[in-house]
PDB file of all heavy atoms in Angstrom:
ATOM      1  N   ASN A 127     -16.409  -9.554  -6.833  1.00 95.00           N
ATOM      2  CA  ASN A 127     -15.702  -9.760  -8.094  1.00 95.00           C
ATOM      3  C   ASN A 127     -14.209  -9.467  -7.937  1.00 95.00           C
ATOM      4  O   ASN A 127     -13.782  -8.914  -6.921  1.00 95.00           O
ATOM      5  CB  ASN A 127     -16.294  -8.903  -9.226  1.00 95.00           C
ATOM      6  CG  ASN A 127     -16.218  -7.414  -8.914  1.00 95.00           C
ATOM      7  OD1 ASN A 127     -15.142  -6.868  -8.659  1.00 95.00           O
ATOM      8  ND2 ASN A 127     -17.361  -6.739  -8.939  1.00 95.00           N
ATOM      9  N   ARG A 129     -11.241  -7.703 -10.411  1.00 96.00           N
ATOM     10  CA  ARG A 129     -10.942  -7.002 -11.657  1.00 96.00           C
ATOM     11  C   ARG A 129      -9.444  -6.717 -11.738  1.00 96.00           C
ATOM     12  O   ARG A 129      -8.729  -6.879 -10.751  1.00 96.00           O
ATOM     13  CB  ARG A 129     -11.728  -5.693 -11.752  1.00 96.00           C
ATOM     14  CG  ARG A 129     -13.249  -5.875 -11.837  1.00 96.00           C
ATOM     15  CD  ARG A 129     -13.947  -4.534 -11.723  1.00 96.00           C
ATOM     16  NE  ARG A 129     -15.390  -4.643 -11.879  1.00 96.00           N
ATOM     17  CZ  ARG A 129     -16.046  -4.437 -13.023  1.00 96.00           C
ATOM     18  NH1 ARG A 129     -15.355  -4.113 -14.115  1.00 96.00           N
ATOM     19  NH2 ARG A 129     -17.356  -4.547 -13.090  1.00 96.00           N
ATOM     20  N   THR A 130      -8.995  -6.259 -12.885  1.00 96.00           N
ATOM     21  CA  THR A 130      -7.604  -5.819 -13.036  1.00 96.00           C
ATOM     22  C   THR A 130      -7.593  -4.466 -13.736  1.00 96.00           C
ATOM     23  O   THR A 130      -8.622  -4.007 -14.252  1.00 96.00           O
ATOM     24  CB  THR A 130      -6.779  -6.806 -13.881  1.00 96.00           C
ATOM     25  OG1 THR A 130      -7.212  -6.745 -15.236  1.00 96.00           O
ATOM     26  CG2 THR A 130      -6.902  -8.215 -13.355  1.00 96.00           C
ATOM     27  N   GLY A 131      -6.395  -3.850 -13.755  1.00 95.00           N
ATOM     28  CA  GLY A 131      -6.221  -2.626 -14.518  1.00 95.00           C
ATOM     29  C   GLY A 131      -5.901  -2.956 -15.960  1.00 95.00           C
ATOM     30  O   GLY A 131      -6.289  -4.015 -16.468  1.00 95.00           O
ATOM     31  N   PHE A 146      -1.271   9.229 -11.908  1.00 96.00           N
ATOM     32  CA  PHE A 146      -0.284   8.184 -11.621  1.00 96.00           C
ATOM     33  C   PHE A 146      -0.772   6.818 -12.125  1.00 96.00           C
ATOM     34  O   PHE A 146      -1.935   6.452 -11.926  1.00 96.00           O
ATOM     35  CB  PHE A 146      -0.013   8.107 -10.120  1.00 96.00           C
ATOM     36  CG  PHE A 146       0.592   9.357  -9.552  1.00 96.00           C
ATOM     37  CD1 PHE A 146      -0.210  10.353  -9.014  1.00 96.00           C
ATOM     38  CD2 PHE A 146       1.969   9.545  -9.561  1.00 96.00           C
ATOM     39  CE1 PHE A 146       0.345  11.511  -8.488  1.00 96.00           C
ATOM     40  CE2 PHE A 146       2.535  10.696  -9.037  1.00 96.00           C
ATOM     41  CZ  PHE A 146       1.716  11.683  -8.503  1.00 96.00           C
ATOM     42  N   VAL A 148      -0.240   3.108 -11.503  1.00 96.00           N
ATOM     43  CA  VAL A 148       0.266   2.275 -10.407  1.00 96.00           C
ATOM     44  C   VAL A 148       0.490   0.837 -10.867  1.00 96.00           C
ATOM     45  O   VAL A 148      -0.424   0.177 -11.369  1.00 96.00           O
ATOM     46  CB  VAL A 148      -0.714   2.315  -9.213  1.00 96.00           C
ATOM     47  CG1 VAL A 148      -0.307   1.308  -8.143  1.00 96.00           C
ATOM     48  CG2 VAL A 148      -0.774   3.727  -8.620  1.00 96.00           C
ATOM     49  N   VAL A 158       0.101   2.868  -1.198  1.00 92.00           N
ATOM     50  CA  VAL A 158       0.324   3.109  -2.614  1.00 92.00           C
ATOM     51  C   VAL A 158       1.229   4.328  -2.693  1.00 92.00           C
ATOM     52  O   VAL A 158       0.887   5.398  -2.187  1.00 92.00           O
ATOM     53  CB  VAL A 158      -0.998   3.357  -3.372  1.00 92.00           C
ATOM     54  CG1 VAL A 158      -0.726   3.895  -4.768  1.00 92.00           C
ATOM     55  CG2 VAL A 158      -1.803   2.067  -3.470  1.00 92.00           C
ATOM     56  N   ILE A 172      -6.989   7.548 -17.565  1.00 95.00           N
ATOM     57  CA  ILE A 172      -7.663   7.184 -16.298  1.00 95.00           C
ATOM     58  C   ILE A 172      -9.062   6.636 -16.578  1.00 95.00           C
ATOM     59  O   ILE A 172      -9.473   5.610 -16.020  1.00 95.00           O
ATOM     60  CB  ILE A 172      -7.745   8.406 -15.358  1.00 95.00           C
ATOM     61  CG1 ILE A 172      -6.377   8.701 -14.735  1.00 95.00           C
ATOM     62  CG2 ILE A 172      -8.787   8.183 -14.263  1.00 95.00           C
ATOM     63  CD1 ILE A 172      -5.995   7.810 -13.575  1.00 95.00           C
ATOM     64  N   ILE A 175      -8.829   3.102 -18.250  1.00 96.00           N
ATOM     65  CA  ILE A 175      -8.453   2.046 -17.296  1.00 96.00           C
ATOM     66  C   ILE A 175      -9.598   1.745 -16.342  1.00 96.00           C
ATOM     67  O   ILE A 175      -9.883   0.578 -16.033  1.00 96.00           O
ATOM     68  CB  ILE A 175      -7.199   2.449 -16.496  1.00 96.00           C
ATOM     69  CG1 ILE A 175      -6.010   2.678 -17.413  1.00 96.00           C
ATOM     70  CG2 ILE A 175      -6.847   1.362 -15.473  1.00 96.00           C
ATOM     71  CD1 ILE A 175      -4.807   3.288 -16.730  1.00 96.00           C
ATOM     72  N   ASN A 176     -10.290   2.798 -15.877  1.00 95.00           N
ATOM     73  CA  ASN A 176     -11.326   2.589 -14.869  1.00 95.00           C
ATOM     74  C   ASN A 176     -12.541   1.834 -15.414  1.00 95.00           C
ATOM     75  O   ASN A 176     -13.297   1.247 -14.645  1.00 95.00           O
ATOM     76  CB  ASN A 176     -11.767   3.915 -14.256  1.00 95.00           C
ATOM     77  CG  ASN A 176     -12.413   3.724 -12.890  1.00 95.00           C
ATOM     78  OD1 ASN A 176     -11.805   3.155 -11.990  1.00 95.00           O
ATOM     79  ND2 ASN A 176     -13.650   4.157 -12.753  1.00 95.00           N
ATOM     80  N   LYS A 177     -12.718   1.822 -16.736  1.00 95.00           N
ATOM     81  CA  LYS A 177     -13.799   1.018 -17.310  1.00 95.00           C
ATOM     82  C   LYS A 177     -13.564  -0.461 -17.020  1.00 95.00           C
ATOM     83  O   LYS A 177     -14.510  -1.242 -16.945  1.00 95.00           O
ATOM     84  CB  LYS A 177     -13.879   1.252 -18.818  1.00 95.00           C
ATOM     85  CG  LYS A 177     -14.482   2.598 -19.197  1.00 95.00           C
ATOM     86  CD  LYS A 177     -14.570   2.757 -20.707  1.00 95.00           C
ATOM     87  CE  LYS A 177     -15.172   4.107 -21.080  1.00 95.00           C
ATOM     88  NZ  LYS A 177     -15.234   4.300 -22.558  1.00 95.00           N
ATOM     89  N   ARG A 178     -12.284  -0.815 -16.879  1.00 95.00           N
ATOM     90  CA  ARG A 178     -11.953  -2.205 -16.585  1.00 95.00           C
ATOM     91  C   ARG A 178     -11.767  -2.447 -15.086  1.00 95.00           C
ATOM     92  O   ARG A 178     -12.250  -3.429 -14.546  1.00 95.00           O
ATOM     93  CB  ARG A 178     -10.676  -2.600 -17.324  1.00 95.00           C
ATOM     94  CG  ARG A 178     -10.250  -4.032 -17.080  1.00 95.00           C
ATOM     95  CD  ARG A 178      -9.182  -4.444 -18.062  1.00 95.00           C
ATOM     96  NE  ARG A 178      -8.712  -5.792 -17.803  1.00 95.00           N
ATOM     97  CZ  ARG A 178      -7.875  -6.454 -18.569  1.00 95.00           C
ATOM     98  NH1 ARG A 178      -7.421  -5.890 -19.684  1.00 95.00           N
ATOM     99  NH2 ARG A 178      -7.475  -7.673 -18.267  1.00 95.00           N
ATOM    100  N   SER A 179     -11.058  -1.539 -14.403  1.00 96.00           N
ATOM    101  CA  SER A 179     -10.747  -1.764 -12.985  1.00 96.00           C
ATOM    102  C   SER A 179     -11.907  -1.398 -12.060  1.00 96.00           C
ATOM    103  O   SER A 179     -12.131  -2.046 -11.039  1.00 96.00           O
ATOM    104  CB  SER A 179      -9.524  -0.932 -12.577  1.00 96.00           C
ATOM    105  OG  SER A 179      -9.803   0.450 -12.657  1.00 96.00           O
ATOM    106  N   ASP A 180     -12.641  -0.316 -12.413  1.00 96.00           N
ATOM    107  CA  ASP A 180     -13.796   0.137 -11.628  1.00 96.00           C
ATOM    108  C   ASP A 180     -13.465   0.266 -10.144  1.00 96.00           C
ATOM    109  O   ASP A 180     -14.182  -0.237  -9.272  1.00 96.00           O
ATOM    110  CB  ASP A 180     -14.971  -0.824 -11.823  1.00 96.00           C
ATOM    111  CG  ASP A 180     -16.269  -0.306 -11.202  1.00 96.00           C
ATOM    112  OD1 ASP A 180     -16.478   0.921 -11.188  1.00 96.00           O
ATOM    113  OD2 ASP A 180     -17.052  -1.134 -10.698  1.00 96.00           O
ATOM    114  N   LEU A 181     -12.348   0.947  -9.834  1.00 97.00           N
ATOM    115  CA  LEU A 181     -11.910   1.053  -8.445  1.00 97.00           C
ATOM    116  C   LEU A 181     -12.913   1.826  -7.603  1.00 97.00           C
ATOM    117  O   LEU A 181     -13.393   2.892  -8.006  1.00 97.00           O
ATOM    118  CB  LEU A 181     -10.544   1.744  -8.375  1.00 97.00           C
ATOM    119  CG  LEU A 181      -9.373   1.054  -9.070  1.00 97.00           C
ATOM    120  CD1 LEU A 181      -8.091   1.837  -8.841  1.00 97.00           C
ATOM    121  CD2 LEU A 181      -9.218  -0.380  -8.584  1.00 97.00           C
ATOM    122  N   LYS A 182     -13.201   1.282  -6.410  1.00 96.00           N
ATOM    123  CA  LYS A 182     -14.132   1.928  -5.487  1.00 96.00           C
ATOM    124  C   LYS A 182     -13.623   1.815  -4.059  1.00 96.00           C
ATOM    125  O   LYS A 182     -12.759   0.978  -3.753  1.00 96.00           O
ATOM    126  CB  LYS A 182     -15.525   1.282  -5.589  1.00 96.00           C
ATOM    127  CG  LYS A 182     -16.250   1.553  -6.890  1.00 96.00           C
ATOM    128  CD  LYS A 182     -17.647   0.943  -6.886  1.00 96.00           C
ATOM    129  CE  LYS A 182     -18.370   1.230  -8.206  1.00 96.00           C
ATOM    130  NZ  LYS A 182     -19.731   0.612  -8.218  1.00 96.00           N
ATOM    131  N   SER A 183     -14.162   2.650  -3.207  1.00 96.00           N
ATOM    132  CA  SER A 183     -13.834   2.577  -1.784  1.00 96.00           C
ATOM    133  C   SER A 183     -14.208   1.198  -1.238  1.00 96.00           C
ATOM    134  O   SER A 183     -15.288   0.685  -1.523  1.00 96.00           O
ATOM    135  CB  SER A 183     -14.596   3.662  -1.024  1.00 96.00           C
ATOM    136  OG  SER A 183     -14.429   3.526   0.358  1.00 96.00           O
ATOM    137  N   GLY A 184     -13.292   0.593  -0.469  1.00 96.00           N
ATOM    138  CA  GLY A 184     -13.549  -0.731   0.095  1.00 96.00           C
ATOM    139  C   GLY A 184     -12.942  -1.853  -0.704  1.00 96.00           C
ATOM    140  O   GLY A 184     -12.874  -2.995  -0.223  1.00 96.00           O
ATOM    141  N   ASP A 185     -12.481  -1.581  -1.942  1.00 97.00           N
ATOM    142  CA  ASP A 185     -11.787  -2.598  -2.729  1.00 97.00           C
ATOM    143  C   ASP A 185     -10.390  -2.826  -2.156  1.00 97.00           C
ATOM    144  O   ASP A 185      -9.798  -1.923  -1.551  1.00 97.00           O
ATOM    145  CB  ASP A 185     -11.657  -2.163  -4.191  1.00 97.00           C
ATOM    146  CG  ASP A 185     -12.997  -2.132  -4.922  1.00 97.00           C
ATOM    147  OD1 ASP A 185     -13.999  -2.590  -4.336  1.00 97.00           O
ATOM    148  OD2 ASP A 185     -13.020  -1.657  -6.067  1.00 97.00           O
ATOM    149  N   ILE A 186      -9.864  -4.024  -2.376  1.00 97.00           N
ATOM    150  CA  ILE A 186      -8.503  -4.340  -1.923  1.00 97.00           C
ATOM    151  C   ILE A 186      -7.633  -4.611  -3.145  1.00 97.00           C
ATOM    152  O   ILE A 186      -7.966  -5.448  -3.986  1.00 97.00           O
ATOM    153  CB  ILE A 186      -8.470  -5.560  -0.978  1.00 97.00           C
ATOM    154  CG1 ILE A 186      -9.197  -5.252   0.333  1.00 97.00           C
ATOM    155  CG2 ILE A 186      -7.033  -5.965  -0.663  1.00 97.00           C
ATOM    156  CD1 ILE A 186     -10.618  -5.678   0.392  1.00 97.00           C
ATOM    157  N   LEU A 187      -6.509  -3.892  -3.248  1.00 97.00           N
ATOM    158  CA  LEU A 187      -5.542  -4.169  -4.301  1.00 97.00           C
ATOM    159  C   LEU A 187      -4.663  -5.337  -3.873  1.00 97.00           C
ATOM    160  O   LEU A 187      -4.300  -5.460  -2.704  1.00 97.00           O
ATOM    161  CB  LEU A 187      -4.670  -2.945  -4.572  1.00 97.00           C
ATOM    162  CG  LEU A 187      -5.386  -1.661  -5.003  1.00 97.00           C
ATOM    163  CD1 LEU A 187      -4.361  -0.590  -5.366  1.00 97.00           C
ATOM    164  CD2 LEU A 187      -6.337  -1.910  -6.172  1.00 97.00           C
ATOM    165  N   PHE A 188      -4.311  -6.185  -4.836  1.00 97.00           N
ATOM    166  CA  PHE A 188      -3.546  -7.409  -4.569  1.00 97.00           C
ATOM    167  C   PHE A 188      -2.611  -7.632  -5.740  1.00 97.00           C
ATOM    168  O   PHE A 188      -3.057  -7.825  -6.863  1.00 97.00           O
ATOM    169  CB  PHE A 188      -4.524  -8.585  -4.415  1.00 97.00           C
ATOM    170  CG  PHE A 188      -3.904  -9.889  -3.986  1.00 97.00           C
ATOM    171  CD1 PHE A 188      -3.898 -10.260  -2.656  1.00 97.00           C
ATOM    172  CD2 PHE A 188      -3.356 -10.759  -4.925  1.00 97.00           C
ATOM    173  CE1 PHE A 188      -3.345 -11.476  -2.254  1.00 97.00           C
ATOM    174  CE2 PHE A 188      -2.805 -11.966  -4.546  1.00 97.00           C
ATOM    175  CZ  PHE A 188      -2.805 -12.325  -3.198  1.00 97.00           C
ATOM    176  N   TYR A 198      -3.386  -3.511  -0.483  1.00 96.00           N
ATOM    177  CA  TYR A 198      -3.709  -2.134  -0.120  1.00 96.00           C
ATOM    178  C   TYR A 198      -5.220  -1.987  -0.086  1.00 96.00           C
ATOM    179  O   TYR A 198      -5.917  -2.381  -1.024  1.00 96.00           O
ATOM    180  CB  TYR A 198      -3.114  -1.148  -1.122  1.00 96.00           C
ATOM    181  CG  TYR A 198      -3.497   0.291  -0.858  1.00 96.00           C
ATOM    182  CD1 TYR A 198      -2.887   1.021   0.161  1.00 96.00           C
ATOM    183  CD2 TYR A 198      -4.475   0.926  -1.619  1.00 96.00           C
ATOM    184  CE1 TYR A 198      -3.247   2.336   0.415  1.00 96.00           C
ATOM    185  CE2 TYR A 198      -4.834   2.236  -1.380  1.00 96.00           C
ATOM    186  CZ  TYR A 198      -4.215   2.948  -0.361  1.00 96.00           C
ATOM    187  OH  TYR A 198      -4.582   4.249  -0.108  1.00 96.00           O
ATOM    188  N   ILE A 200      -8.352   0.329  -0.322  1.00 96.00           N
ATOM    189  CA  ILE A 200      -8.751   1.638  -0.841  1.00 96.00           C
ATOM    190  C   ILE A 200      -9.802   2.248   0.084  1.00 96.00           C
ATOM    191  O   ILE A 200     -10.871   1.678   0.273  1.00 96.00           O
ATOM    192  CB  ILE A 200      -9.309   1.515  -2.267  1.00 96.00           C
ATOM    193  CG1 ILE A 200      -8.246   0.949  -3.203  1.00 96.00           C
ATOM    194  CG2 ILE A 200      -9.812   2.862  -2.775  1.00 96.00           C
ATOM    195  CD1 ILE A 200      -8.735   0.712  -4.626  1.00 96.00           C
ATOM    196  N   LYS A 202     -10.949   5.566  -0.234  1.00 91.00           N
ATOM    197  CA  LYS A 202     -11.849   6.417  -1.030  1.00 91.00           C
ATOM    198  C   LYS A 202     -11.502   6.267  -2.499  1.00 91.00           C
ATOM    199  O   LYS A 202     -10.348   6.001  -2.853  1.00 91.00           O
ATOM    200  CB  LYS A 202     -11.757   7.879  -0.601  1.00 91.00           C
ATOM    201  CG  LYS A 202     -10.396   8.506  -0.700  1.00 91.00           C
ATOM    202  CD  LYS A 202     -10.440   9.938  -0.183  1.00 91.00           C
ATOM    203  CE  LYS A 202      -9.058  10.590  -0.235  1.00 91.00           C
ATOM    204  NZ  LYS A 202      -9.074  11.962   0.302  1.00 91.00           N
ATOM    205  N   LYS A 203     -12.489   6.425  -3.352  1.00 93.00           N
ATOM    206  CA  LYS A 203     -12.312   6.202  -4.794  1.00 93.00           C
ATOM    207  C   LYS A 203     -11.196   7.095  -5.323  1.00 93.00           C
ATOM    208  O   LYS A 203     -11.231   8.312  -5.151  1.00 93.00           O
ATOM    209  CB  LYS A 203     -13.616   6.492  -5.533  1.00 93.00           C
ATOM    210  CG  LYS A 203     -13.543   6.232  -7.036  1.00 93.00           C
ATOM    211  CD  LYS A 203     -14.879   6.460  -7.689  1.00 93.00           C
ATOM    212  CE  LYS A 203     -14.787   6.297  -9.205  1.00 93.00           C
ATOM    213  NZ  LYS A 203     -14.422   4.928  -9.601  1.00 93.00           N
ATOM    214  N   PRO A 204     -10.190   6.508  -5.979  1.00 93.00           N
ATOM    215  CA  PRO A 204      -9.083   7.312  -6.507  1.00 93.00           C
ATOM    216  C   PRO A 204      -9.553   8.227  -7.641  1.00 93.00           C
ATOM    217  O   PRO A 204     -10.398   7.833  -8.451  1.00 93.00           O
ATOM    218  CB  PRO A 204      -8.111   6.260  -7.051  1.00 93.00           C
ATOM    219  CG  PRO A 204      -8.540   4.961  -6.450  1.00 93.00           C
ATOM    220  CD  PRO A 204      -9.999   5.070  -6.220  1.00 93.00           C
ATOM    221  N   ASN A 205      -9.000   9.446  -7.699  1.00 91.00           N
ATOM    222  CA  ASN A 205      -9.329  10.340  -8.807  1.00 91.00           C
ATOM    223  C   ASN A 205      -8.107  10.733  -9.632  1.00 91.00           C
ATOM    224  O   ASN A 205      -8.240  11.330 -10.692  1.00 91.00           O
ATOM    225  CB  ASN A 205     -10.045  11.600  -8.297  1.00 91.00           C
ATOM    226  CG  ASN A 205      -9.200  12.371  -7.296  1.00 91.00           C
ATOM    227  OD1 ASN A 205      -8.001  12.138  -7.156  1.00 91.00           O
ATOM    228  ND2 ASN A 205      -9.827  13.285  -6.583  1.00 91.00           N
ATOM    229  N   TRP A 207      -5.222   8.372  -9.915  1.00 96.00           N
ATOM    230  CA  TRP A 207      -4.391   7.200 -10.176  1.00 96.00           C
ATOM    231  C   TRP A 207      -5.251   5.985 -10.495  1.00 96.00           C
ATOM    232  O   TRP A 207      -6.429   5.945 -10.145  1.00 96.00           O
ATOM    233  CB  TRP A 207      -3.452   6.890  -9.010  1.00 96.00           C
ATOM    234  CG  TRP A 207      -4.097   6.576  -7.677  1.00 96.00           C
ATOM    235  CD1 TRP A 207      -4.423   7.464  -6.698  1.00 96.00           C
ATOM    236  CD2 TRP A 207      -4.464   5.284  -7.174  1.00 96.00           C
ATOM    237  NE1 TRP A 207      -4.974   6.811  -5.618  1.00 96.00           N
ATOM    238  CE2 TRP A 207      -5.001   5.471  -5.880  1.00 96.00           C
ATOM    239  CE3 TRP A 207      -4.377   3.990  -7.682  1.00 96.00           C
ATOM    240  CZ2 TRP A 207      -5.471   4.414  -5.090  1.00 96.00           C
ATOM    241  CZ3 TRP A 207      -4.838   2.921  -6.893  1.00 96.00           C
ATOM    242  CH2 TRP A 207      -5.374   3.146  -5.615  1.00 96.00           C
ATOM    243  N   ASN A 208      -4.632   5.032 -11.185  1.00 97.00           N
ATOM    244  CA  ASN A 208      -5.292   3.755 -11.452  1.00 97.00           C
ATOM    245  C   ASN A 208      -4.210   2.704 -11.668  1.00 97.00           C
ATOM    246  O   ASN A 208      -3.023   3.002 -11.603  1.00 97.00           O
ATOM    247  CB  ASN A 208      -6.233   3.854 -12.649  1.00 97.00           C
ATOM    248  CG  ASN A 208      -7.505   3.035 -12.427  1.00 97.00           C
ATOM    249  OD1 ASN A 208      -7.443   1.818 -12.244  1.00 97.00           O
ATOM    250  ND2 ASN A 208      -8.659   3.694 -12.430  1.00 97.00           N
ATOM    251  N   ILE A 209      -4.612   1.466 -11.912  1.00 97.00           N
ATOM    252  CA  ILE A 209      -3.694   0.324 -11.839  1.00 97.00           C
ATOM    253  C   ILE A 209      -3.467  -0.326 -13.203  1.00 97.00           C
ATOM    254  O   ILE A 209      -4.256  -0.144 -14.129  1.00 97.00           O
ATOM    255  CB  ILE A 209      -4.221  -0.730 -10.851  1.00 97.00           C
ATOM    256  CG1 ILE A 209      -5.634  -1.183 -11.251  1.00 97.00           C
ATOM    257  CG2 ILE A 209      -4.204  -0.178  -9.432  1.00 97.00           C
ATOM    258  CD1 ILE A 209      -6.219  -2.291 -10.394  1.00 97.00           C
ATOM    259  N   ASN A 210      -2.387  -1.110 -13.290  1.00 95.00           N
ATOM    260  CA  ASN A 210      -2.154  -1.885 -14.506  1.00 95.00           C
ATOM    261  C   ASN A 210      -2.707  -3.298 -14.314  1.00 95.00           C
ATOM    262  O   ASN A 210      -3.254  -3.632 -13.250  1.00 95.00           O
ATOM    263  CB  ASN A 210      -0.671  -1.878 -14.895  1.00 95.00           C
ATOM    264  CG  ASN A 210       0.160  -2.860 -14.088  1.00 95.00           C
ATOM    265  OD1 ASN A 210      -0.199  -3.243 -12.966  1.00 95.00           O
ATOM    266  ND2 ASN A 210       1.282  -3.262 -14.634  1.00 95.00           N
ATOM    267  N   VAL A 213      -2.128  -5.927 -11.269  1.00 96.00           N
ATOM    268  CA  VAL A 213      -2.708  -5.664  -9.946  1.00 96.00           C
ATOM    269  C   VAL A 213      -4.186  -6.043  -9.978  1.00 96.00           C
ATOM    270  O   VAL A 213      -4.945  -5.555 -10.824  1.00 96.00           O
ATOM    271  CB  VAL A 213      -2.556  -4.182  -9.546  1.00 96.00           C
ATOM    272  CG1 VAL A 213      -3.152  -3.946  -8.161  1.00 96.00           C
ATOM    273  CG2 VAL A 213      -1.091  -3.750  -9.577  1.00 96.00           C
ATOM    274  N   PHE A 214      -4.588  -6.934  -9.067  1.00 97.00           N
ATOM    275  CA  PHE A 214      -5.999  -7.287  -8.930  1.00 97.00           C
ATOM    276  C   PHE A 214      -6.699  -6.275  -8.034  1.00 97.00           C
ATOM    277  O   PHE A 214      -6.110  -5.752  -7.086  1.00 97.00           O
ATOM    278  CB  PHE A 214      -6.170  -8.668  -8.285  1.00 97.00           C
ATOM    279  CG  PHE A 214      -5.663  -9.819  -9.095  1.00 97.00           C
ATOM    280  CD1 PHE A 214      -5.354 -11.031  -8.489  1.00 97.00           C
ATOM    281  CD2 PHE A 214      -5.494  -9.712 -10.468  1.00 97.00           C
ATOM    282  CE1 PHE A 214      -4.886 -12.104  -9.229  1.00 97.00           C
ATOM    283  CE2 PHE A 214      -5.028 -10.780 -11.219  1.00 97.00           C
ATOM    284  CZ  PHE A 214      -4.721 -11.977 -10.598  1.00 97.00           C
ATOM    285  N   SER A 215      -7.958  -6.002  -8.335  1.00 97.00           N
ATOM    286  CA  SER A 215      -8.822  -5.223  -7.445  1.00 97.00           C
ATOM    287  C   SER A 215      -9.944  -6.154  -6.982  1.00 97.00           C
ATOM    288  O   SER A 215     -10.772  -6.589  -7.790  1.00 97.00           O
ATOM    289  CB  SER A 215      -9.402  -4.015  -8.179  1.00 97.00           C
ATOM    290  OG  SER A 215     -10.331  -3.331  -7.358  1.00 97.00           O
ATOM    291  N   ILE A 216      -9.940  -6.478  -5.687  1.00 98.00           N
ATOM    292  CA  ILE A 216     -10.866  -7.482  -5.148  1.00 98.00           C
ATOM    293  C   ILE A 216     -11.934  -6.787  -4.309  1.00 98.00           C
ATOM    294  O   ILE A 216     -11.621  -6.064  -3.364  1.00 98.00           O
ATOM    295  CB  ILE A 216     -10.102  -8.512  -4.294  1.00 98.00           C
ATOM    296  CG1 ILE A 216      -8.979  -9.140  -5.132  1.00 98.00           C
ATOM    297  CG2 ILE A 216     -11.053  -9.585  -3.769  1.00 98.00           C
ATOM    298  CD1 ILE A 216      -8.052 -10.039  -4.342  1.00 98.00           C
ATOM    299  N   ARG A 217     -13.190  -7.026  -4.657  1.00 98.00           N
ATOM    300  CA  ARG A 217     -14.314  -6.377  -3.968  1.00 98.00           C
ATOM    301  C   ARG A 217     -15.053  -7.389  -3.098  1.00 98.00           C
ATOM    302  O   ARG A 217     -15.492  -8.433  -3.578  1.00 98.00           O
ATOM    303  CB  ARG A 217     -15.271  -5.763  -4.988  1.00 98.00           C
ATOM    304  CG  ARG A 217     -16.428  -4.975  -4.363  1.00 98.00           C
ATOM    305  CD  ARG A 217     -17.107  -4.133  -5.427  1.00 98.00           C
ATOM    306  NE  ARG A 217     -16.135  -3.207  -6.003  1.00 98.00           N
ATOM    307  CZ  ARG A 217     -16.303  -2.592  -7.184  1.00 98.00           C
ATOM    308  NH1 ARG A 217     -17.389  -2.818  -7.901  1.00 98.00           N
ATOM    309  NH2 ARG A 217     -15.373  -1.769  -7.636  1.00 98.00           N
TER     310      ARG A 217
END
Side-chain angles (χ1 to χ4, degrees):
N127 60 57
R129 295 172 177 264
T130 70
F146 297 93
V148 172
V158 168
I172 285 281
I175 300 171
N176 202 57
K177 286 182 180 178
R178 180 167 177 174
S179 65
D180 189 33
L181 298 183
K182 291 183 180 179
S183 173
D185 291 352
I186 294 95
L187 301 186
F188 187 96
Y198 176 77
I200 299 177
K202 59 183 178 182
K203 182 177 176 64
N205 59 14
W207 61 270
N208 218 300
I209 57 176
N210 80 336
V213 181
F214 294 159
S215 175
I216 304 173
R217 184 166 300 161

